Amino acid sequence: MKRKKPDPEVFVLALKQLGVEADNCIVIEDSEAGLKAALRAEIDTVYITPSLFTQHHCFDGASEVAEDATALLPIISQVLKSKARTTTTPN
């Protein structure tokens, strides 16, 4: 990587290499820079689990801010199911 977050380069490259559209992705981040990078890559489903070092950051624009990743599991499960339904074409 030539540029680091909040530049979206890392997310844009990952999307390209995986062959996935941004609207079919979710991101779990722990920092304001990571949130900004994901949003700039047009990934609008971003979950935040702040760390001791980032708990004071601004997380405006995040889909959800949770104390830890385990608190996000049920939420993310529902979002993934919803995304799967919208990307699946009927037979």
Side-chain angles (χ1 to χ4, degrees), residues 24-78:
N24 290 326
C25 293
I26 64 168
V27 170
I28 300 173
E29 265 293 342
D30 68 345
S31 70
E32 183 178 4
L35 170 62
K36 287 181 179 179
L39 293 175
R40 289 175 182 164
E42 300 181 8
I43 302 169
D44 61 0
T45 309
V46 184
Y47 298 97
I48 302 294
T49 56
S51 71
L52 177 64
F53 304 106
T54 64
Q55 61 189 0
H56 63 282
H57 288 191
C58 175
F59 297 118
D60 291 347
S63 302
E64 186 86 27
V65 178
E67 188 174 315
D68 59 49
T70 57
L72 290 175
L73 291 176
I75 297 165
I76 291 172
S77 176
Q78 282 301 113

